[in-house]
Amino acid sequence: MYEQQLPIEEWKAKKQAELKETIAAQKSVLQEVVQDGQRLADYLYGRGRLGSHITSGNAALVLQTLPQARAVLTAKDWDKFGRRVNKGAKGIPQLVRVNGYYNVGSIFDVSMTYGNKPYPIP
């Protein structure tokens, strides 16, 4: 029923590894984007569709995972707009800055949510 808690040092190491993995993924995706003109055009079109609230690296991760993404927010933000994240939906990792430190968070596309309220258009 309850998960066994990790010792603090193991938890820190796990979080650091997760952070490094996400940063490396952002770098590799952005390098792939600039290799080909068509990929760059697709990225820029998708980046415009996602809006300005998301960084370039995070947008690249989203568009690699879900090329037709329309609107991405955290689960908490979707709640504010009257939509809920589907059970079992796996979030897309992103870098978020909290109190001056970078952490890995998850965001969800509107296609991963349900509700009868419209989603915000960026």
Side-chain angles (χ1 to χ4, degrees):
M1 182 171 179
Y2 293 104
E3 292 182 25
Q4 186 177 14
Q5 291 187 350
L6 293 174
I8 191 75
E9 294 305 319
E10 275 186 55
W11 179 82
K12 283 182 183 179
K14 180 181 174 186
K15 288 296 180 181
Q16 285 290 4
E18 191 177 71
L19 181 66
K20 287 179 182 179
E21 180 182 314
T22 303
I23 291 170
Q26 279 188 352
K27 285 181 182 178
S28 69
V29 170
L30 286 172
Q31 286 174 347
E32 288 174 17
V33 164
V34 297
Q35 296 298 322
D36 179 32
Q38 184 59 46
R39 287 208 51 182
L40 180 60
D42 292 342
Y43 166 76
L44 292 173
Y45 180 72
R47 175 84 173 93
R49 191 174 57 236
L50 291 176
S52 62
H53 73 283
I54 187 170
T55 65
S56 297
N58 288 338
L61 286 176
V62 168
L63 293 171
Q64 179 193 31
T65 307
L66 197 62
Q68 297 301 320
R70 295 177 285 168
V72 290
L73 294 170
T74 63
K76 191 176 190 180
D77 289 339
W78 279 121
D79 273 350
K80 291 178 188 174
F81 287 106
R83 299 187 67 87
R84 305 293 182 262
V85 175
N86 294 334
K87 188 173 185 174
K90 181 148 174 68
I92 302 166
Q94 70 165 355
L95 289 179
V96 293
R97 192 167 182 171
V98 179
N99 297 328
Y101 296 100
Y102 286 100
N103 292 326
V104 177
S106 292
I107 54 176
F108 301 89
D109 183 53
V110 67
S111 62
M112 300 174 179
T113 66
Y114 65 93
N116 58 359
K117 300 210 175 165
Y119 64 91
I121 298 172

